[in-house]
Amino acid sequence: MTDKVIVLTGASRGLGAALAEALLAADTLLVTVSRKPNESLQKLARERGAQLLQIAADLSDPLKAVVGAEKVAAALPESASSYALINNAGMVQPLALAPQLTDGPAIASAFNLNVTAVILLTARFLATTEGRARNRRILNISSGAGRNPQPSWGVYCATKAALDMYTRVLNAEQRANGVRAVSLAPGVVDTDMQASIRNSDPARVPVQPRFAELHARGQLSAPAQVAARIAAYLRRDDFGQAEIDDIRNYD
């Protein structure tokens, strides 16, 4: 019998890869959804005697996200005592000031990955686990950008604000069914996303110098450190009391 089941998106690199490593445990089935498998994670799972299933899916494509969600649903065992879904996959691009946001496909991809895929995966997760366990948790990795406007981040800010509101809707609908949802900001983490911002043109991305300075001063959090704190947060007895939260509140 599998004690715990955790589904995690975006586990191939950055914070998602660090989260996957933090969540691997003998009593847990970890199901990851990423564009490609993480070979080092598979090796680590074997070393720890942990259960790991990696599902390949491009969540920025809604049709492929639907297929990925169906594969996740089929992989969820019926006998677990708890189920958790961590919607971590996301992108910050396109970065540009409002008059320059003219790349429709790029904007659509960001909304598809940051919002649409979350809704699709959550729908299948909820429907599949209905009646299986009272302990069902959904953790949406959001951002302070969804709560504080950042010049040139119009698309990213909008998607994360949408994620925050969607989380509130989930709680309004599903709390009576044993579901607790949280939209959690992880802080400023040293990932490829941050590198993308630092490498941007300051004329198009006015906040670039600030993030370059944070990196130069060593003020970006290490992914493994943040992942450990998020993994502990997921296990908290009071998970869900604050539906819009920030991991930096728990330093």
Side-chain angles (χ1 to χ4, degrees):
M1 174 179 174
T2 299
D3 185 29
K4 304 172 185 176
V5 176
I6 300 176
V7 180
L8 170 68
T9 68
S12 61
R13 59 182 182 176
L15 179 59
L19 259 175
E21 292 186 10
L23 295 168
L24 280 176
D27 66 346
T28 302
L29 168 61
L30 178 62
V31 180
T32 65
V33 186
S34 304
R35 289 191 180 188
K36 57 183 180 180
N38 183 333
E39 294 182 4
S40 62
L41 184 64
Q42 193 70 56
K43 179 181 178 181
L44 183 61
R46 288 194 296 268
E47 292 173 355
R48 292 186 184 177
Q51 301 176 75
L52 172 66
L53 173 62
Q54 300 191 74
I55 294 173
D58 180 1
L59 298 179
S60 66
D61 181 326
L63 296 179
K64 293 179 181 178
V66 169
V67 174
E70 292 297 333
K71 289 181 179 180
V72 168
L76 300 181
E78 296 184 8
S79 57
S81 61
S82 67
Y83 297 85
L85 169 63
I86 305 176
N87 288 301
N88 165 76
M91 66 169 66
V92 69
Q93 298 289 351
L95 294 171
L97 295 170
Q100 302 162 340
L101 284 172
T102 57
D103 188 339
I107 294 170
S109 289
F111 272 89
N112 288 339
L113 181 60
N114 295 0
V115 182
T116 304
V118 171
I119 294 173
L120 292 171
L121 281 164
T122 301
R124 294 302 299 129
F125 174 82
L126 290 174
T128 304
T129 59
E130 177 68 27
R132 293 187 181 180
R134 290 293 298 174
N135 188 356
R136 294 189 291 163
R137 302 184 177 194
I138 297 173
L139 181 58
N140 295 324
I141 302 301
S142 185
S143 170
R147 305 155 198 178
N148 302 286
Q150 299 289 338
S152 73
W153 287 23
V155 173
Y156 188 66
C157 287
T159 61
K160 292 305 184 180
L163 190 61
D164 284 357
M165 180 54 73
Y166 176 65
T167 302
R168 294 175 64 189
V169 171
L170 280 175
N171 284 320
E173 285 184 1
Q174 302 296 325
R175 190 177 290 274
N177 297 324
V179 176
R180 286 181 280 175
V182 174
S183 193
L184 182 72
V188 186
V189 189
D190 193 6
T191 62
D192 290 346
M193 183 180 293
Q194 282 295 319
S196 174
I197 296 169
R198 293 195 302 274
N199 293 330
S200 299
D201 180 359
R204 291 176 61 89
V205 184
V207 296
Q208 185 271 348
R210 179 166 69 88
F211 286 96
E213 184 178 1
L214 287 174
H215 180 260
R217 291 184 175 182
Q219 294 179 334
L220 300 180
S221 299
Q225 179 186 38
V226 177
R229 290 160 62 195
I230 293 175
Y233 181 91
L234 183 66
R235 297 189 296 267
R236 290 176 65 97
D237 291 338
D238 62 353
F239 180 92
Q241 286 190 5
E243 60 185 357
I244 307 298
D245 213 346
D246 192 309
I247 197 65
R248 289 169 290 190
N249 295 334
Y250 302 86
D251 288 340

